[in-house]
Amino acid sequence: MNILNYLTTKNNTYYLKDDISVRQAVEKFDFYKYSVVPVIDETGKYVNSISEGDLLRFIKINDPISLKDLENHQLFEVSRYRTYECLSISSSFKEILALSLSQNFIPIIDDRGMFIGIIKRKDVIKHLLEIKDINI
């Protein structure tokens, strides 16, 4: 499996920067309807992924009076319930397959740690169907 054939590139992937406000993150989650997205730093390196649940727990703990209060907090302040591991562009299909068992997407980084896109679990399953010549 050539990883590039299944990569959804960074410019076609929804992600957040870790220095935006929690309010901006909440609004983007609401608008785009994703449940988990990658987070990158100001240099473009993958930091982690954040979920709607992470944001809800942050809001619960900090008990803001209004959505406007969330402007006073940066996304990097939000604790993550679980870690979304990333893989290198040179990773094997076996590594991708193993990680796709527990993550609905796999963030992919280059040799410098820069976020270059994701591989979706759906694309891993499609690849398996292709090599087994199964039609659905």
Side-chain angles (χ1 to χ4, degrees):
M1 171 185 184
N2 183 345
I3 201 169
L4 292 175
N5 292 336
Y6 301 93
L7 183 73
T8 302
T9 59
K10 180 180 176 180
N11 59 346
N12 292 317
T13 301
Y14 178 68
Y15 60 89
L16 296 173
K17 295 205 175 171
D18 70 344
D19 62 350
I20 67 169
S21 73
V22 174
R23 178 184 176 162
Q24 288 172 305
V26 167
E27 289 173 346
K28 288 178 188 261
F29 266 89
D30 182 45
F31 182 79
Y32 289 103
K33 308 296 185 226
Y34 288 117
S35 57
V36 180
V37 296
V39 178
I40 63 173
D41 68 13
E42 68 281 350
T43 66
K45 290 187 177 182
Y46 176 71
V47 175
N48 202 327
S49 292
I50 191 164
S51 71
E52 289 176 305
D54 296 332
L55 292 172
L56 289 172
R57 280 184 287 282
F58 181 84
I59 291 167
K60 180 183 171 193
I61 290 167
N62 289 284
D63 194 25
I65 296 170
S66 71
L67 192 58
K68 186 161 176 53
D69 292 338
L70 295 176
E71 290 177 9
N72 300 324
H73 299 278
Q74 303 300 109
L75 193 59
F76 61 79
E77 296 175 48
V78 178
S79 297
R80 306 309 196 276
Y81 177 72
R82 73 178 274 213
T83 301
Y84 266 68
E85 292 182 48
C86 65
L87 290 176
S88 156
I89 190 70
S90 60
S91 297
S92 69
F93 180 68
K94 187 174 182 179
E95 291 172 298
I96 293 166
L97 184 59
L99 201 49
S100 70
L101 291 172
S102 61
Q103 296 179 188
N104 56 359
F105 67 87
I106 302 162
I108 304 297
I109 59 172
D110 66 11
D111 297 340
R112 301 169 297 148
M114 304 301 278
F115 175 72
I116 60 171
I118 63 171
I119 294 182
K120 301 174 205 163
R121 180 186 293 153
K122 175 178 81 173
D123 293 329
V124 172
I125 294 169
K126 279 183 183 178
H127 175 72
L128 290 172
L129 291 172
E130 288 170 5
I131 61 174
K132 291 294 184 183
D133 197 24
I134 299 171
N135 294 319
I136 51 173

